[in-house]
Amino acid sequence: MKKINAIFLALISLAFISCASDEVEIPVEASSLEIIQQAQNAVEKGKKKKAIKCYEILLQRYGNNPAIYVEGRYEIAHIYVKQKDYKKAEPILLELKEIYDSSAPGMLPGAYRKMSAKDLGKVQDKIGKKE
């Protein structure tokens, strides 16, 4: 009986430890807005890797929606910009530029066009390039 109690206690402890880690567990039924909120909460707590994982899950589940795809990709790139990881941010921002340049006006959220262009300019200034 003592062994069973010890094992049970160990399992409960492990459950609490895994909840405190950066692992991402998003219910299958979570909406795109719920996933975005979880990612934003992670960013606010300084858990950038967790936020990126949330946005990657968002893209896997809802990336066929162009507006959500643009938002998720921008948010990932923006995290990289904030981390000064310009080599990871630049290809994503260039992809977003291409998407916006080839889409009809009003088809995608305009705010992400403006923000991604601003981040792309900053990135290219930092790495010594101009598009």
Side-chain angles (χ1 to χ4, degrees):
M1 189 68 169
K2 286 184 180 183
K3 283 185 181 181
I4 293 173
N5 286 340
I7 292 171
F8 182 69
L9 217 53
L11 289 174
I12 290 175
S13 298
L14 265 175
F16 284 112
I17 291 169
S18 67
C19 289
S21 74
D22 279 345
E23 288 186 33
V24 177
E25 292 183 24
I26 297 175
V28 176
E29 68 276 0
S31 71
S32 60
L33 293 176
E34 291 170 326
I35 297 171
I36 291 167
Q37 186 61 55
Q38 189 166 344
Q40 290 172 346
N41 291 344
V43 168
E44 288 173 10
K45 293 177 183 175
K47 297 182 176 194
K48 306 266 191 309
K49 286 182 184 180
K50 182 176 183 176
I52 289 171
K53 287 178 187 176
C54 288
Y55 285 121
E56 288 171 347
I57 291 169
L58 173 75
L59 294 171
Q60 289 169 0
R61 294 185 188 174
Y62 299 99
N64 58 340
N65 177 325
I68 291 173
Y69 182 83
V70 164
E71 181 176 1
R73 292 295 283 164
Y74 169 75
E75 294 296 347
I76 290 170
H78 191 66
I79 290 169
Y80 289 141
V81 170
K82 288 172 122 181
Q83 291 177 326
K84 299 181 181 179
D85 193 343
Y86 305 122
K87 290 185 189 239
K88 285 185 180 175
E90 185 185 32
I92 299 170
L93 295 168
L94 287 171
E95 174 195 16
L96 291 171
K97 181 182 184 315
E98 187 176 314
I99 290 169
Y100 273 101
D101 288 349
S102 64
S103 69
M107 293 297 295
L108 298 168
Y112 293 105
R113 177 182 209 138
K114 187 174 182 176
M115 293 184 299
S116 62
K118 183 179 176 182
D119 276 357
L120 180 59
K122 179 179 181 177
V123 164
Q124 290 181 334
D125 283 346
K126 295 292 185 181
I127 61 177
K129 285 182 167 178
K130 271 293 176 198
E131 177 70 15

